[in-house]
Amino acid sequence: MKTLYTVFAFLFLSNIIFAQNVEFDKDNFSSDKEGFKEAYKNLKEGDKQYAYGASGTYVLALEYFLLAQKFNPNNADLNYKIGSCYLYSNMETRKCLQYFKKALELKNTVAPDIFYMLGRGYHLNYEFDEAIKYYEKHRNMLSPKDLELERKNITKKIEECNVGKQLVKEPVRVFIDNVGEEINSRYPEYSPLISADESMMIFTSRRENTTGGSRDLGDQQFYEDIYVSYQSENGKWSPAVNMGKPLNSDKNDATVGLAPDGQQLFIFMEGDIYKCELKGAEWSSPKSLPNSINTEEREGDASFSYNGKTMYIASERTDKTFGGFDIYTSTQSEKGKWQDAENMGSVINTEYDDRSVFMHPDGRTLYFSSRGHNTMGGFDIFYTTKDDDGFWTKPINLGYPINTPDDDLFFVLSASGKHGYYASAKEGGVGTYDIYMITFRGPEKPIVQNNEDNLIASIANPISEVIIEESVEIKTMRLTILKGTVKDAISLNPVEASIEIVDNEKNEIISTFMSNSATGKYLVSLPSGKNYGIAVKADGYLFHSENFDIPEATNYQEITKDILLNKMAVGSKIVLKNIFFDYAKATLRAESNAELDRLIAVLTEYPNIKIEISGHTDNLGTLQLNTKLSESRAKAVVDYLIMKGVSTSRLQYKGYAYLEPIATNETEEGRQENRRVEFKVLSN
Amino acid sequence: MKQFILFSIAMVFSLGAFSQDNPTAIQNPDTTLVVAENQEAELAYNNGIASFKNKDYKSAVDFFNQAIGFRPEFSQAYFNRGSVKMELKEFEAAILDFNMAIQYADSVPNPYFARAQANYALNKFDEAFDDYTLAIDKGFKDVKAYYYRGVINFQRNKYEEAIADFSQAISIDPTFAYAYNDRGSAKRKNNDIDGAIEDYEKAVKVDSKFALAYNNLGTAKRKKGDFDGAIIDYGMAIKHKPDYHIAYNNRGSAKYDKKDYDGALKDFSEALKLKNDYVYAINNIGTVKIKQKEYEAAKTEFSKAIDIDGNYGDAYLNRGVAKEELRDLEGACRDWKKADELGVKNASIYLQDCNEF
């Protein structure tokens, strides 16, 4: 028995001590010449792809190398190369570790950078202490000259490990789900873009049915194409559809940005950003953004402010850069021209790459990916918010498990702030890079323990106490999504209308959008803290106006409002909802000017129409007083129009007091609706 | 009505649910030796006392009735008849007798104290409070008047006044463990945890088997974050009162605080063995399961607690958390809504995640 133990012990030890490098030499495989021949061939084919050094060729090399390694698992160089293929191919990068470990075990001089590569392997596998150990080993072995070259990189890698240790200790509360096979394929999918209400996702895929079906010579993967999927009420995504021409071509066509209403798409083609607009059901041909945005260098990602007036891009331009990709911003002039893009400054940009920019529809939170700041490795996703003085705050890492030691890019967030989408090469995915949905769960919800004590000795009944941690504030996004359709009031056909958002206090137009001509759909993001006037205008129709007061502290809400537009015809009337008077007086307030100017525009456009302006009140107070007030208010509007040059002969006014209510006078809401000014077409 | 253990005027009484050596008290009946002529009233009165001592309450009442019949202004006879009625738990009738005793001898403190006891038993705390005060004002020297007035002050959330009363009781009897315990509890309610610990420690010093005070001491230490100290004190409470399910439950929570979840589970389970419908222990087992990320098991525990007490708001809140972890947001929101309806503090905040439901 004792002898048997000794044999086992010997065999075991021999595996450790005597595992040795086996060269790909035919003499080592004389018993299986055919097998050696095949394996050697695979090795050489793999070497060819490996030498090319592109992510796609590493994938191809890997296929050959793995076959060769199956035949001869104990070749140090081959194990090292397989580890390198995993590391650089952007797929299953964490697998590199086992091969680097084996390579070192077989031959401790397998490559000058083997300790560094092991550091990378441990780093990607969250074994940060081991990673630091190997990074330091590598540093200690460098010559003074090489140390000079590599010191900065190694120091950064060690810093990343230390950041990783901290982030992993305090994971953020999220669910991360693969969005499923309707969207993801076995090929890479990335750069998801969503409409603010998450009803649509447009993304990039390199699957085999891309337009033209050919492969990028650079990385030997299928060319990028743009795909779309729609989310149903029950949260299911429809099977992704190639968006076809003109968005997709035989070359790379990738998504980079989508306006919150989903009506403008920005794509990446040949190093520049192009814009496409949805006209009805058709996308317009890509049009290159002007030279103020695109340069000779590469421009990557783009995102737009909620009102479409500011653009955020990532660019590799060489002037005014902090290094690598930086994030730039450009604003639109009053004439709609994009100004020269400005670097967003050193709070956001670093000497490393900063890109994948996404401006949230709340108008104040900017997300981006960076290799700088306190990343735990590769690109991490960060956010920064604009403070009350207009300055960006220090970027904050979104945390683990959203961020990983590998690259985390292409993050976008729904308007509600509940769901983020990004691309990641996780184990267990449908393919290599897949699109994942992050559900943000907010701070941990404390659970309650119950205890009791006999506080008073002479009272037998115990007194209960609830032990609960301090309550937490659950923050939601401070914005309102207003969406719906614009249709003809009679035919109910969709109408392409312009939707104008006005800051009532400042009396200035914040932005103008169009409803879709094929569906009538529109979507507007309204950040909290303003009183908004919204005017919907379409040719041949009377305009429709709405007023929304959204206080600063208003949490995320979605309002659906379907708007019916009346054609310009005798008897048609509209309520002028953005006309404001001083309390119980007929004095027009300045906030009314935008609405009145719209009215003047209608009268100018239709020079023959005659109209009646009528005043209406609620039923509080006497009929006599209300008649007088409503008439005075109607007259005030008419006086304004006359002052602006409208002929008196075209205008009539009348006060109806509370005799023509449009809502109940029993509630404050109803009374508010009844207090109004109307505009009616008398003749045209 | 909260269970209240009354002093009885002529017998041994026990303070609280858990007997202790101190303070038992015997208050001698008001005896009046009678030898002179025409003292039928006094004779009947003495017979009444003898019957009372023999626990023959019916005869005692009859004799005191006779005594009063002979001498309608016989204050002590009213007082003793009232005391018998206290023993018979006829508190309203007892009060009427104490009223008469006071009417004929308003400077004597005993009837005020006795009436306070009767009023307290009837949940007439304001009247009881006034009577304890009157008893004290009339010179009632026993610690109990201060002690019980302190208890009423505590129940009225007047902790400073309660502390003053318990301190008076302690100054009269420095070995009165109950007063130390209760003063500790008043200090604890006043957020003076150090003061509470000091008093609870004095309570267990004067009565080394005072399980209840050990338990309170443990909870005070837990509030200070001294979980190890708390576990030892709860252990002492259990040692002196092995069926003390409350102390087991509390020790479980102290272990939970220390992240000793297996230890916590053992204690909560022990509490449940002692009281099988103890919903707090069931709920607390659920909280451990959540910490152990066993969300299905946690949900089951909270459901058990809810099955026993359908209005157990905290269990709904917790079950909602378990369901959220199980990704049943709709179910979680239903539970948080119910918890909110039942007045649970944090439920409305949790419901902010439920916009779509």
Side-chain angles (χ1 to χ4, degrees):
Chain A
M1 195 65 189
K2 195 176 170 185
T3 317
L4 192 62
Y5 283 138
T6 311
V7 171
F8 276 132
F10 173 77
L11 288 173
F12 176 72
L13 286 172
S14 68
N15 268 333
I16 297 171
I17 299 167
F18 302 110
Q20 57 183 358
N21 185 32
V22 179
E23 294 295 349
F24 269 90
D25 189 318
K26 64 182 176 188
D27 294 342
N28 291 331
F29 303 97
S30 52
S31 60
D32 184 4
K33 286 180 182 166
E34 279 307 305
F36 172 76
K37 203 174 157 188
E38 184 64 24
Y40 191 77
K41 194 176 145 201
N42 282 324
L43 180 69
K44 292 298 151 192
E45 284 299 321
D47 278 342
K48 271 189 216 164
Q49 299 295 338
Y50 186 80
Y52 200 83
S55 62
T57 57
Y58 284 121
V59 177
L60 295 174
L62 193 56
E63 286 176 20
Y64 295 114
F65 283 156
L66 286 174
L67 289 171
Q69 205 252 5
K70 201 173 173 187
F71 179 78
N72 176 11
N74 291 327
N75 182 268
D77 287 339
L78 179 58
N79 279 288
Y80 174 84
K81 285 174 187 168
I82 292 173
S84 301
C85 285
Y86 276 117
L87 182 63
Y88 297 128
S89 65
N90 292 329
M91 54 175 281
E92 300 178 283
T93 49
R94 292 171 68 178
K95 279 191 178 168
C96 70
L97 179 60
Q98 66 191 81
Y99 294 97
F100 288 139
K101 275 161 95 171
K102 179 139 194 177
L104 180 70
E105 191 185 301
L106 293 165
K107 188 175 163 189
N108 59 12
T109 56
V110 61
D113 63 355
I114 183 63
F115 289 146
Y116 178 80
M117 298 303 244
L118 271 163
R120 294 291 300 127
Y122 281 114
H123 190 159
L124 289 165
N125 279 280
Y126 299 88
E127 293 182 51
F128 298 114
D129 285 328
E130 281 297 298
I132 291 171
K133 197 171 96 185
Y134 279 100
Y135 286 140
E136 284 175 344
K137 264 190 175 184
H138 174 69
R139 184 173 59 193
N140 294 341
M141 291 184 65
L142 292 173
S143 68
K145 195 178 163 193
D146 290 341
L147 180 61
E148 199 56 38
L149 289 171
E150 290 192 40
R151 186 198 307 274
K152 190 174 164 188
N153 176 45
I154 296 168
T155 305
K156 183 165 190 313
K157 287 280 179 285
I158 291 171
E159 272 172 22
E160 289 172 1
C161 289
N162 285 322
V163 170
K165 281 161 74 175
Q166 286 305 315
L167 294 178
V168 167
K169 235 186 252 176
E170 293 169 2
V172 290
R173 279 169 40 83
V174 290
F175 292 129
I176 300 178
D177 296 301
N178 192 301
V179 294
E181 294 186 22
E182 305 297 355
I183 287 174
N184 290 318
S185 72
R186 70 187 186 93
Y187 299 96
E189 277 78 31
Y190 46 83
S191 193
L193 305 172
I194 50 164
S195 56
D197 62 351
E198 293 177 84
S199 62
M200 176 174 74
M201 183 191 292
I202 298 179
F203 61 96
T204 304
S205 176
R206 305 191 72 168
R207 59 191 67 180
E208 53 198 347
N209 67 346
T210 54
T211 310
S214 50
R215 289 178 186 262
D216 186 325
L217 292 175
D219 58 15
Q220 288 302 313
Q221 299 201 51
F222 290 111
Y223 278 118
E224 295 167 321
D225 257 6
I226 299 168
Y227 291 75
V228 65
S229 173
Y230 297 93
Q231 190 168 212
S232 63
E233 293 279 313
N234 64 9
K236 300 265 183 229
W237 290 100
S238 64
V241 173
N242 188 306
M243 292 183 79
K245 290 184 176 174
L247 300 188
N248 290 323
S249 67
D250 291 350
K251 300 286 182 180
N252 280 324
D253 312 289
T255 46
V256 290
L258 184 69
D261 64 354
Q263 301 293 300
Q264 291 183 84
L265 175 67
F266 299 87
I267 65 176
F268 174 80
M269 291 167 66
E270 296 168 352
D272 278 342
I273 300 168
Y274 286 69
K275 184 171 93 168
C276 311
E277 287 184 65
L278 187 60
K279 299 281 184 191
E282 303 292 327
W283 285 96
S284 66
S285 295
K287 194 176 165 192
S288 177
L289 290 177
N291 290 342
S292 53
I293 306 294
N294 285 325
T295 64
E296 286 182 358
E297 306 301 329
R298 202 154 49 128
E299 273 70 38
D301 321 295
S303 184
F304 294 79
S305 61
Y306 75 97
N307 60 6
K309 298 274 186 187
T310 307
M311 185 191 296
Y312 303 88
I313 60 160
S315 171
E316 267 187 320
R317 65 191 61 189
T318 46
D319 58 329
K320 297 178 189 169
T321 177
F322 290 94
F325 266 104
D326 269 5
I327 298 169
Y328 295 77
T329 182
S330 170
T331 52
Q332 208 171 25
S333 70
E334 282 185 11
K335 289 179 183 170
K337 195 180 165 197
W338 289 106
Q339 308 293 301
D340 283 343
E342 296 285 334
N343 190 301
M344 289 192 75
S346 61
V347 172
I348 291 172
N349 290 316
T350 66
E351 61 181 302
Y352 302 97
D353 288 330
D354 307 284
R355 56 173 305 180
S356 274
V357 60
F358 172 74
M359 182 67 189
H360 190 262
D362 72 353
R364 58 188 112 201
T365 316
L366 188 88
Y367 295 85
F368 64 100
S369 291
S370 175
R371 281 187 162 132
H373 297 294
N374 59 331
T375 166
M376 70 190 286
F379 280 104
D380 271 6
I381 303 161
F382 294 82
Y383 74 91
T384 172
T385 50
K386 198 186 263 184
D387 65 20
D388 293 340
D389 300 322
F391 293 105
W392 293 103
T393 56
K394 188 175 178 227
I396 293 172
N397 190 308
L398 274 193
Y400 167 83
I402 298 169
N403 284 322
T404 67
D406 212 340
D407 288 342
D408 304 290
L409 286 152
F410 308 119
F411 176 82
V412 293
L413 185 65
S414 67
S416 69
K418 281 191 177 171
H419 295 145
Y421 295 85
Y422 76 144
S424 182
K426 294 184 192 301
E427 280 175 25
V430 180
T432 52
Y433 266 94
D434 277 358
I435 295 168
Y436 287 82
M437 180 178 81
I438 303 163
T439 305
F440 289 91
R441 303 173 60 204
E444 190 171 343
K445 295 182 177 69
I447 43 177
V448 181
Q449 285 233 316
N450 285 128
N451 296 89
E452 56 189 354
D453 291 309
N454 296 99
L455 290 180
I456 296 298
S458 57
I459 296 178
N461 279 0
I463 295 172
S464 300
E465 278 193 318
V466 173
I467 308 291
I468 187 165
E469 294 161 50
E470 282 302 301
S471 60
V472 290
E473 189 191 353
I474 295 175
K475 289 180 181 167
T476 66
M477 290 296 169
R478 290 175 295 168
L479 72 115
T480 296
I481 292 289
L482 174 68
K483 63 177 185 176
T485 55
V486 182
K487 289 181 176 171
D488 182 289
I490 306 295
S491 69
L492 297 181
N493 286 331
V495 174
E496 184 180 33
S498 110
I499 299 164
E500 207 169 74
I501 303 175
V502 178
D503 180 336
N504 278 332
E505 274 172 36
K506 290 184 183 165
N507 193 25
E508 67 183 24
I509 296 169
I510 296 175
S511 63
T512 306
F513 297 92
M514 300 296 287
S515 61
N516 185 281
S517 62
T519 60
K521 282 187 180 176
Y522 73 95
L523 183 150
V524 178
S525 165
L526 305 171
S528 301
K530 278 188 166 64
N531 181 276
Y532 293 100
I534 294 166
V536 183
K537 297 187 291 185
D539 287 345
Y541 289 89
L542 291 177
F543 69 85
H544 174 98
S545 61
E546 289 285 341
N547 178 273
F548 285 91
D549 187 35
I550 305 176
E552 183 69 35
T554 306
N555 284 331
Y556 178 78
Q557 56 177 342
E558 278 186 18
I559 298 173
T560 302
K561 195 152 195 75
D562 293 330
I563 294 165
L564 298 175
L565 291 183
N566 287 299
K567 282 221 160 112
M568 177 64 70
V570 174
S572 294
K573 59 182 176 182
I574 52 168
V575 179
L576 302 169
K577 290 194 177 167
N578 287 311
I579 289 192
F580 307 93
F581 294 95
D582 285 345
Y583 178 71
K585 288 183 182 169
T587 316
L588 275 169
R589 288 166 60 173
E591 297 99 291
S592 315
N593 291 354
E595 186 91 329
L596 291 167
D597 291 345
R598 272 191 291 276
L599 190 52
I600 290 166
V602 172
L603 292 167
T604 310
E605 196 178 339
Y606 297 94
N608 297 323
I609 63 165
K610 291 183 177 175
I611 62 166
E612 176 195 84
I613 299 290
S614 58
H616 302 263
T617 66
D618 60 30
N619 70 346
L620 301 179
T622 65
L623 178 63
Q624 194 187 359
L625 273 177
N626 277 317
T627 306
K628 196 178 165 195
L629 179 65
S630 56
E631 189 177 293
S632 309
R633 286 183 166 180
K635 183 174 182 299
V637 173
V638 165
D639 287 346
Y640 181 92
L641 298 177
I642 291 168
M643 186 188 80
K644 290 282 185 176
V646 179
S647 163
T648 317
S649 63
R650 299 175 64 193
L651 304 169
Q652 290 183 21
Y653 65 88
K654 193 170 177 184
Y656 288 89
Y658 49 72
L659 299 175
E660 291 191 358
I662 55 170
T664 176
N665 273 308
E666 298 299 309
T667 64
E668 177 47 40
E669 249 175 31
R671 286 194 291 276
Q672 194 175 343
E673 274 198 61
N674 285 332
R675 296 191 293 266
R676 67 198 191 275
V677 173
E678 279 185 3
F679 153 97
K680 186 164 84 175
V681 180
L682 296 175
S683 68
N684 66 3
Chain B
M1 189 185 104
K2 282 186 174 156
Q3 190 185 337
F4 188 80
I5 290 85
L6 287 170
F7 289 89
S8 184
I9 195 70
M11 63 197 60
V12 176
F13 72 93
S14 168
L15 277 173
F18 319 116
S19 67
Q20 56 169 17
D21 298 336
N22 182 59
T24 55
I26 299 172
Q27 187 164 347
N28 285 324
D30 193 348
T31 55
T32 308
L33 290 174
V34 191
V35 285
E37 287 180 9
N38 300 321
Q39 290 193 322
E40 291 88 350
E42 285 76 2
L43 188 59
Y45 172 80
N46 283 356
N47 287 336
I49 291 169
S51 298
F52 183 87
K53 282 183 174 172
N54 292 330
K55 296 191 177 175
D56 180 0
Y57 301 126
K58 188 175 176 303
S59 299
V61 170
D62 288 344
F63 282 123
F64 291 131
N65 285 345
Q66 280 178 32
I68 291 163
F70 287 119
R71 215 177 100 193
E73 74 286 4
F74 197 170
S75 169
Q76 293 95 324
Y78 285 112
F79 175 73
N80 278 3
R81 190 173 69 183
S83 299
V84 178
K85 288 176 181 171
M86 287 290 283
E87 203 56 33
L88 295 168
K89 301 198 185 312
E90 294 169 11
F91 302 117
E92 297 278 8
I95 288 171
L96 293 177
D97 278 340
F98 297 139
N99 286 344
M100 293 306 288
I102 290 165
Q103 185 180 323
Y104 292 114
D106 66 356
S107 61
V108 178
N110 283 4
Y112 293 105
F113 179 79
R115 192 170 67 183
Q117 298 285 78
N119 276 318
Y120 193 95
L122 290 167
N123 283 342
K124 293 179 177 175
F125 300 122
D126 289 343
E127 288 86 342
F129 184 87
D130 292 343
D131 278 340
Y132 285 129
T133 304
L134 280 167
I136 290 164
D137 291 347
K138 301 288 179 185
F140 192 77
K141 290 293 179 201
D142 198 291
V143 293
K144 292 181 286 294
Y146 287 106
Y147 174 76
Y148 279 118
R149 193 173 68 174
V151 169
I152 295 175
N153 272 321
F154 185 97
Q155 289 174 316
R156 288 168 158 182
N157 302 329
K158 291 186 173 176
Y159 302 117
E160 285 298 344
E161 285 90 332
I163 290 166
D165 278 337
F166 294 137
S167 296
Q168 279 290 344
I170 289 164
S171 70
I172 294 168
D173 180 2
T175 64
F176 191 9
Y178 276 34
Y180 285 116
N181 176 78
D182 293 10
R183 188 172 71 179
S185 296
K187 287 178 179 175
R188 176 172 142 188
K189 285 286 186 183
N190 250 358
N191 289 321
D192 173 11
I193 307 298
D194 289 333
I197 289 174
E198 201 179 317
D199 272 345
Y200 291 139
E201 281 175 342
K202 281 178 186 164
V204 297
K205 196 173 176 188
V206 294
D207 178 3
S208 61
K209 294 177 178 172
F210 196 1
L212 185 152
Y214 276 119
N215 175 70
N216 289 337
L217 180 57
T219 301
K221 286 184 180 172
R222 195 179 152 218
K223 281 179 183 292
K224 292 280 289 179
D226 176 9
F227 305 128
D228 289 326
I231 289 167
I232 291 169
D233 290 328
Y234 290 134
M236 289 300 283
I238 292 164
K239 181 183 168 192
H240 295 298
K241 184 173 164 49
D243 63 347
Y244 200 3
H245 64 277
I246 289 172
Y248 273 111
N249 184 51
N250 288 341
R251 191 170 69 178
S253 289
K255 290 177 180 174
Y256 172 97
D257 292 337
K258 275 195 76 182
K259 297 187 169 54
D260 170 13
Y261 298 127
D262 290 336
L265 270 184
K266 272 186 195 161
D267 274 344
F268 294 140
S269 303
E270 206 58 45
L272 262 184
K273 272 188 208 161
L274 293 166
K275 191 171 187 293
N276 63 13
D277 62 347
Y278 193 26
V279 289
Y280 284 6
I282 300 171
N283 173 74
N284 292 349
I285 288 173
T287 62
V288 172
K289 295 290 178 191
I290 282 194
K291 291 292 179 190
Q292 292 177 326
K293 300 192 187 305
E294 294 176 31
Y295 302 117
E296 273 296 350
K299 191 174 90 173
T300 305
E301 295 299 331
F302 298 130
S303 295
K304 272 190 218 166
I306 290 166
D307 286 345
I308 296 170
D309 179 359
N311 290 319
Y312 190 4
D314 290 337
Y316 281 105
L317 185 89
N318 290 341
R319 191 172 68 177
V321 173
K323 286 182 180 174
E324 190 203 20
E325 293 290 349
L326 291 165
R327 310 203 61 177
D328 172 15
L329 190 57
E330 206 169 335
C333 291
R334 273 199 306 274
D335 278 346
W336 292 332
K337 192 160 182 288
K338 180 75 178 173
D340 190 42
E341 285 164 11
L342 292 168
V344 176
K345 188 180 147 198
N346 270 2
S348 61
I349 300 171
Y350 293 10
L351 276 170
Q352 287 176 17
D353 275 1
C354 300
N355 292 341
E356 55 262 56
F357 297 109

